[in-house]
């Protein structure tokens, strides 16, 4: 970066490159428990995740099982209609990323119903980065970090049975109808048979800004580009990842990056439990092209937080409280796993 000015955006990218939170002041305060009416902090969140799914030294506390990828973003230039971000200018940008399954166990058997994740890191001019952390559900199960914490507490297994107490969960859902509605939406969606045929959603609303001064609420998604609906190859414990690895060996896996345009005053930007109407206009901003990651690249991706608050100029956070909380939780997860050594290398190109 010799000869380039060190802007706030590029500084955030440098901090996040080492896995440290780049959430801004709010994220760091959240980690210390100094915001939020219930004073729930990132350390408490990660403690809770470990109590729910177990502690696996050296691995992410959520989405522990993963596969690293590299590739490029072929921007169509259409996104420049609503954002001056360099990522939307017509051209190509290098990226890397990680497919994953929900849960901390990096050796868990694959299951069609498990939450699937896809994190991406776009490398942009002048040292900027854009990071996304998407999952295959169109909604998030809670409106606030505190509600999400309470939802997970309600789901905590009873030591006597090893399963959540249905009465506690029912009580929580009765008191939190937004979560109940979001779970109904998520459960109604039939999971696709492969990673390559999954649609991934950014969950939270963001704000695209333009040089003209206009601000546009958007939600991002990645939609499979091509006929990728075939059943996964094999039925073993790693059938989803083995299918993905085989597809990547045959050629790139592609997704269309879609921008759903919200209607100000009608579509909420602060509530990720509510999807926007399907009738809202979408802009096809370009194509994400993914290929296998070499061993050295996989190691770098392993140590990357896909922090959704790392944004380029032209994309801003909305009033949704979830992204800063996610950033702080990811940072705490990184802090813990960076002090540990995993017991064995993962099968799919990572060690944690």
């Amino acid at each position: 970066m010799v000869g380039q000015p060190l802007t706030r955006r590029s500084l955030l990218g440098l901090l996040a490159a080492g896995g440290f939170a780049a959430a801004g002041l709010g994220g760091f305060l959240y980690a210390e428990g100094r915001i939020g009416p219930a004073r729930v902090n990132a350390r408490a969140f990660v403690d809770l995740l470990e109590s729910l799914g177990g502690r696996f030294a050296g691995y992410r506390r959520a989405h522990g099982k993963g596969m690293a990828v590299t590739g490029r973003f072929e921007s169509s230039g259409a996104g420049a209609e609503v954002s001056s971000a360099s990522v939307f200018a017509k051209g190509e940008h290098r990226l890397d990323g990680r497919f994953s399954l929900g849960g901390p166990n990096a050796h868990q058997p694959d299951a069609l119903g498990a939450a699937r994740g896809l994190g991406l890191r776009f490398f942009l001019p002048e040292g900027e980065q854009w990071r996304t952390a998407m999952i295959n559900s169109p909604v998030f199960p809670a409106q606030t970090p505190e509600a999400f914490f309470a939802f997970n507490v309600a789901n905590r297994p009873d030591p006597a049975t090893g399963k959540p107490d249905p009465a506690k969960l029912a009580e929580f859902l009765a008191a939190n109808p937004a979560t109940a509605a979001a779970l109904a939406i998520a459960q109604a969606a039939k999971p696709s048979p492969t990673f390559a045929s999954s649609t991934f959603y950014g969950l939270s609303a963001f704000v695209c800004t333009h040089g003209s001064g206009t601000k546009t609420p958007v939600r991002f998604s990645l939609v499979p580009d091509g006929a990728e609906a075939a059943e996964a190859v094999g039925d073993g414990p790693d059938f989803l990842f083995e299918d993905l690895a085989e597809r990547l060996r045959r050629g790139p896996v592609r997704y269309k990056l879609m921008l759903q345009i919200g209607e100000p005053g009608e579509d909420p930007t602060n509530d990720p439990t509510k999807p926007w109407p399907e009738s809202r206009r979408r802009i096809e901003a370009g194509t994400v092209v993914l290929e296998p990651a070499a061993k050295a690249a996989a190691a770098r991706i392993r140590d990357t937080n896909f922090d959704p608050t790392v944004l380029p100029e032209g994309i801003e956070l909305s009033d949704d409280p979830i992204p800063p909380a996610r950033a702080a939780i990811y940072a705490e997860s990184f802090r813990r796993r960076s002090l540990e050594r995993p017991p064995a290398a993962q099968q799919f190109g990572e060690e944690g």
Side-chain angles (χ1 to χ4, degrees):
M1 296 187 59
V2 175
Q4 296 182 1
L6 187 61
T7 64
R8 177 179 179 274
R9 296 284 177 169
S10 59
L11 178 59
L12 289 178
L14 287 172
L15 288 171
F20 298 99
L25 184 59
F28 287 115
L29 293 182
Y30 192 91
E32 295 301 323
R34 291 159 61 186
I35 65 173
R39 297 183 65 82
V40 174
N41 58 40
R43 294 185 181 88
F45 255 110
V46 178
D47 287 344
L48 178 60
L49 292 175
E50 292 178 350
S51 74
L52 290 169
R55 179 175 173 272
F56 298 86
Y59 296 105
R60 296 170 191 257
R61 271 35 182 188
H63 289 260
K65 187 174 186 177
M67 178 190 292
V69 289
T70 58
R72 64 187 183 277
F73 175 56
E74 299 173 346
S75 174
S76 67
E81 174 191 339
V82 294
S83 174
S84 56
S86 58
V87 69
F88 296 131
K90 187 175 179 60
E92 290 190 3
H93 302 287
R94 180 172 65 90
L95 59 76
D96 58 20
R98 182 178 185 269
F99 288 92
S100 63
L101 285 185
N105 186 352
H107 308 290
Q108 65 179 306
D110 294 354
L112 277 181
R116 302 175 200 173
L118 176 54
L120 295 177
R121 173 174 56 171
F122 298 77
F123 297 92
L124 306 175
E126 298 184 12
E128 285 193 309
Q129 290 187 15
W130 179 27
R131 301 192 185 192
T132 68
M134 301 187 178
I135 64 171
N136 66 327
S137 171
V139 290
F140 193 73
Q143 294 173 308
T144 66
E146 292 79 13
F148 187 51
F149 186 90
F151 170 62
N152 280 282
V153 169
N155 266 311
R156 186 156 45 193
D158 186 324
T161 65
K163 297 179 180 180
D165 183 340
K168 289 183 178 179
L169 182 58
E171 181 182 359
F172 175 84
L173 294 177
N176 294 270
T179 293
L183 291 178
I185 292 171
Q187 292 168 358
K190 181 181 178 182
S192 63
T194 66
F195 275 112
S197 60
S198 299
T199 295
F200 293 93
Y201 302 88
L203 298 174
S204 295
F206 292 83
V207 177
C208 280
T209 62
H210 199 278
S212 64
T214 59
K215 293 180 178 289
T216 305
V218 300
R219 278 180 166 170
F220 301 109
S221 63
L222 291 169
V223 178
D225 183 12
E228 297 287 0
E231 293 295 325
V233 176
D235 57 1
D238 303 311
F239 73 97
L240 286 172
F241 283 100
E242 288 174 350
D243 175 84
L244 178 60
E246 176 58 29
R247 290 173 189 270
L248 291 168
R249 281 192 290 268
R250 295 199 304 261
V253 171
R254 292 178 166 85
Y255 296 88
K256 297 176 182 177
L257 176 61
M258 306 300 297
L259 281 57
Q260 185 183 26
I261 308 303
E263 288 291 333
E266 296 185 31
D267 299 327
T269 56
N270 64 345
D271 188 351
T273 67
K274 293 182 172 62
W276 291 348
E278 284 296 317
S279 59
R280 294 295 183 250
R281 185 168 73 96
R282 286 175 169 80
I283 297 173
E284 184 178 331
T287 303
V288 168
V289 183
L290 300 176
E291 300 172 331
K295 186 174 181 179
R300 291 193 297 272
I301 295 164
R302 176 197 66 201
D303 294 331
T304 296
N305 281 347
F306 293 97
D307 175 348
T309 69
V310 177
L311 303 168
E313 295 286 354
I315 306 175
E316 299 176 352
L317 293 173
S318 70
D319 52 352
D320 188 331
I322 297 298
R326 291 174 74 186
I329 294 165
Y330 295 172
E332 174 63 11
S333 171
F334 176 86
R335 186 189 69 81
R336 296 188 188 193
R337 73 179 189 266
S338 67
L339 300 175
E340 303 163 344
R341 180 178 295 276
Q346 291 189 30
Q347 295 184 60
F348 301 105
E350 306 181 27
E351 293 183 350

mmCIF file of all heavy atoms in Angstrom, residues 294-314:
data_model
loop_
_atom_site.group_PDB
_atom_site.id
_atom_site.type_symbol
_atom_site.label_atom_id
_atom_site.label_comp_id
_atom_site.label_asym_id
_atom_site.label_seq_id
_atom_site.Cartn_x
_atom_site.Cartn_y
_atom_site.Cartn_z
ATOM 1 N N ALA A 294 -6.486 -22.812 -2.994
ATOM 2 C CA ALA A 294 -5.222 -23.493 -2.731
ATOM 3 C C ALA A 294 -4.971 -23.514 -1.226
ATOM 4 O O ALA A 294 -5.574 -22.767 -0.453
ATOM 5 C CB ALA A 294 -4.080 -22.782 -3.442
ATOM 6 N N LYS A 295 -4.058 -24.375 -0.788
ATOM 7 C CA LYS A 295 -3.829 -24.573 0.644
ATOM 8 C C LYS A 295 -3.454 -23.275 1.350
ATOM 9 O O LYS A 295 -3.962 -22.976 2.430
ATOM 10 C CB LYS A 295 -2.730 -25.623 0.849
ATOM 11 C CG LYS A 295 -2.527 -26.007 2.305
ATOM 12 C CD LYS A 295 -1.526 -27.147 2.444
ATOM 13 C CE LYS A 295 -1.359 -27.543 3.907
ATOM 14 N NZ LYS A 295 -0.401 -28.676 4.066
ATOM 15 N N ALA A 296 -2.570 -22.486 0.758
ATOM 16 C CA ALA A 296 -2.149 -21.237 1.397
ATOM 17 C C ALA A 296 -3.321 -20.260 1.510
ATOM 18 O O ALA A 296 -3.496 -19.595 2.534
ATOM 19 C CB ALA A 296 -1.001 -20.602 0.623
ATOM 20 N N ALA A 297 -4.137 -20.193 0.452
ATOM 21 C CA ALA A 297 -5.307 -19.314 0.489
ATOM 22 C C ALA A 297 -6.303 -19.789 1.524
ATOM 23 O O ALA A 297 -6.916 -18.982 2.238
ATOM 24 C CB ALA A 297 -5.953 -19.249 -0.890
ATOM 25 N N ALA A 298 -6.485 -21.114 1.636
ATOM 26 C CA ALA A 298 -7.426 -21.660 2.616
ATOM 27 C C ALA A 298 -7.021 -21.277 4.036
ATOM 28 O O ALA A 298 -7.873 -21.002 4.888
ATOM 29 C CB ALA A 298 -7.511 -23.172 2.473
ATOM 30 N N ALA A 299 -5.720 -21.246 4.303
ATOM 31 C CA ALA A 299 -5.247 -20.862 5.634
ATOM 32 C C ALA A 299 -5.589 -19.405 5.936
ATOM 33 O O ALA A 299 -5.983 -19.067 7.050
ATOM 34 C CB ALA A 299 -3.746 -21.088 5.740
ATOM 35 N N ARG A 300 -5.456 -18.529 4.924
ATOM 36 C CA ARG A 300 -5.815 -17.119 5.131
ATOM 37 C C ARG A 300 -7.314 -16.980 5.374
ATOM 38 O O ARG A 300 -7.748 -16.204 6.238
ATOM 39 C CB ARG A 300 -5.393 -16.284 3.925
ATOM 40 C CG ARG A 300 -3.885 -16.134 3.765
ATOM 41 C CD ARG A 300 -3.551 -15.054 2.759
ATOM 42 N NE ARG A 300 -4.041 -15.367 1.422
ATOM 43 C CZ ARG A 300 -3.364 -16.061 0.514
ATOM 44 N NH1 ARG A 300 -2.159 -16.533 0.795
ATOM 45 N NH2 ARG A 300 -3.877 -16.296 -0.679
ATOM 46 N N ILE A 301 -8.101 -17.712 4.604
ATOM 47 C CA ILE A 301 -9.553 -17.636 4.743
ATOM 48 C C ILE A 301 -9.983 -18.181 6.098
ATOM 49 O O ILE A 301 -10.904 -17.672 6.727
ATOM 50 C CB ILE A 301 -10.222 -18.399 3.584
ATOM 51 C CG1 ILE A 301 -9.903 -17.699 2.253
ATOM 52 C CG2 ILE A 301 -11.733 -18.505 3.783
ATOM 53 C CD1 ILE A 301 -10.164 -18.546 1.035
ATOM 54 N N ARG A 302 -9.279 -19.222 6.559
ATOM 55 C CA ARG A 302 -9.556 -19.787 7.876
ATOM 56 C C ARG A 302 -9.486 -18.727 8.957
ATOM 57 O O ARG A 302 -10.265 -18.720 9.916
ATOM 58 C CB ARG A 302 -8.534 -20.892 8.165
ATOM 59 C CG ARG A 302 -8.629 -21.522 9.554
ATOM 60 C CD ARG A 302 -7.354 -22.280 9.877
ATOM 61 N NE ARG A 302 -6.224 -21.364 10.001
ATOM 62 C CZ ARG A 302 -4.950 -21.725 9.884
ATOM 63 N NH1 ARG A 302 -4.641 -22.970 9.590
ATOM 64 N NH2 ARG A 302 -3.985 -20.839 10.019
ATOM 65 N N ASP A 303 -8.567 -17.798 8.836
ATOM 66 C CA ASP A 303 -8.347 -16.780 9.859
ATOM 67 C C ASP A 303 -9.113 -15.491 9.595
ATOM 68 O O ASP A 303 -8.832 -14.457 10.204
ATOM 69 C CB ASP A 303 -6.857 -16.474 9.963
ATOM 70 C CG ASP A 303 -6.050 -17.656 10.467
ATOM 71 O OD1 ASP A 303 -6.626 -18.465 11.225
ATOM 72 O OD2 ASP A 303 -4.872 -17.788 10.102
ATOM 73 N N THR A 304 -10.080 -15.537 8.692
ATOM 74 C CA THR A 304 -10.845 -14.349 8.331
ATOM 75 C C THR A 304 -12.202 -14.351 9.015
ATOM 76 O O THR A 304 -12.905 -15.362 9.008
ATOM 77 C CB THR A 304 -11.052 -14.294 6.802
ATOM 78 O OG1 THR A 304 -9.789 -14.163 6.156
ATOM 79 C CG2 THR A 304 -11.933 -13.116 6.407
ATOM 80 N N ASN A 305 -12.568 -13.235 9.585
ATOM 81 C CA ASN A 305 -13.935 -13.028 10.057
ATOM 82 C C ASN A 305 -14.750 -12.427 8.917
ATOM 83 O O ASN A 305 -14.366 -11.369 8.385
ATOM 84 C CB ASN A 305 -13.965 -12.069 11.243
ATOM 85 C CG ASN A 305 -13.564 -12.735 12.541
ATOM 86 O OD1 ASN A 305 -13.487 -13.948 12.623
ATOM 87 N ND2 ASN A 305 -13.298 -11.930 13.556
ATOM 88 N N PHE A 306 -15.843 -13.052 8.576
ATOM 89 C CA PHE A 306 -16.715 -12.481 7.549
ATOM 90 C C PHE A 306 -17.711 -11.546 8.246
ATOM 91 O O PHE A 306 -18.885 -11.830 8.419
ATOM 92 C CB PHE A 306 -17.376 -13.600 6.744
ATOM 93 C CG PHE A 306 -16.378 -14.361 5.923
ATOM 94 C CD1 PHE A 306 -15.835 -15.548 6.375
ATOM 95 C CD2 PHE A 306 -15.914 -13.837 4.719
ATOM 96 C CE1 PHE A 306 -14.868 -16.223 5.638
ATOM 97 C CE2 PHE A 306 -14.952 -14.500 3.976
ATOM 98 C CZ PHE A 306 -14.432 -15.689 4.440
ATOM 99 N N ASP A 307 -17.141 -10.418 8.599
ATOM 100 C CA ASP A 307 -17.796 -9.405 9.426
ATOM 101 C C ASP A 307 -18.670 -8.525 8.535
ATOM 102 O O ASP A 307 -18.159 -7.790 7.688
ATOM 103 C CB ASP A 307 -16.696 -8.586 10.109
ATOM 104 C CG ASP A 307 -17.214 -7.419 10.915
ATOM 105 O OD1 ASP A 307 -18.396 -7.070 10.802
ATOM 106 O OD2 ASP A 307 -16.408 -6.837 11.671
ATOM 107 N N PRO A 308 -20.004 -8.558 8.699
ATOM 108 C CA PRO A 308 -20.881 -7.812 7.790
ATOM 109 C C PRO A 308 -20.847 -6.309 7.968
ATOM 110 O O PRO A 308 -21.539 -5.596 7.231
ATOM 111 C CB PRO A 308 -22.268 -8.377 8.120
ATOM 112 C CG PRO A 308 -22.171 -8.792 9.555
ATOM 113 C CD PRO A 308 -20.762 -9.309 9.715
ATOM 114 N N THR A 309 -20.044 -5.816 8.921
ATOM 115 C CA THR A 309 -19.921 -4.371 9.070
ATOM 116 C C THR A 309 -18.710 -3.812 8.324
ATOM 117 O O THR A 309 -18.476 -2.599 8.363
ATOM 118 C CB THR A 309 -19.845 -3.969 10.555
ATOM 119 O OG1 THR A 309 -18.606 -4.411 11.111
ATOM 120 C CG2 THR A 309 -20.994 -4.570 11.353
ATOM 121 N N VAL A 310 -17.919 -4.661 7.677
ATOM 122 C CA VAL A 310 -16.798 -4.187 6.853
ATOM 123 C C VAL A 310 -17.374 -3.857 5.478
ATOM 124 O O VAL A 310 -17.687 -4.736 4.680
ATOM 125 C CB VAL A 310 -15.686 -5.236 6.741
ATOM 126 C CG1 VAL A 310 -14.570 -4.746 5.817
ATOM 127 C CG2 VAL A 310 -15.113 -5.555 8.126
ATOM 128 N N LEU A 311 -17.527 -2.564 5.209
ATOM 129 C CA LEU A 311 -18.247 -2.088 4.032
ATOM 130 C C LEU A 311 -17.417 -1.061 3.269
ATOM 131 O O LEU A 311 -16.682 -0.277 3.864
ATOM 132 C CB LEU A 311 -19.568 -1.438 4.454
ATOM 133 C CG LEU A 311 -20.531 -2.308 5.264
ATOM 134 C CD1 LEU A 311 -21.646 -1.455 5.861
ATOM 135 C CD2 LEU A 311 -21.111 -3.413 4.399
ATOM 136 N N PRO A 312 -17.540 -1.029 1.951
ATOM 137 C CA PRO A 312 -16.868 0.016 1.179
ATOM 138 C C PRO A 312 -17.680 1.298 1.181
ATOM 139 O O PRO A 312 -18.880 1.297 1.497
ATOM 140 C CB PRO A 312 -16.818 -0.591 -0.235
ATOM 141 C CG PRO A 312 -18.073 -1.411 -0.311
ATOM 142 C CD PRO A 312 -18.273 -1.969 1.088
ATOM 143 N N GLU A 313 -17.045 2.395 0.834
ATOM 144 C CA GLU A 313 -17.786 3.638 0.625
ATOM 145 C C GLU A 313 -18.863 3.383 -0.418
ATOM 146 O O GLU A 313 -18.609 2.792 -1.465
ATOM 147 C CB GLU A 313 -16.850 4.752 0.128
ATOM 148 C CG GLU A 313 -15.779 5.164 1.127
ATOM 149 C CD GLU A 313 -16.335 6.004 2.274
ATOM 150 O OE1 GLU A 313 -17.531 6.357 2.223
ATOM 151 O OE2 GLU A 313 -15.568 6.293 3.208
ATOM 152 N N GLY A 314 -20.072 3.820 -0.111
ATOM 153 C CA GLY A 314 -21.194 3.597 -1.013
ATOM 154 C C GLY A 314 -22.179 2.572 -0.486
ATOM 155 O O GLY A 314 -23.279 2.419 -1.025
#
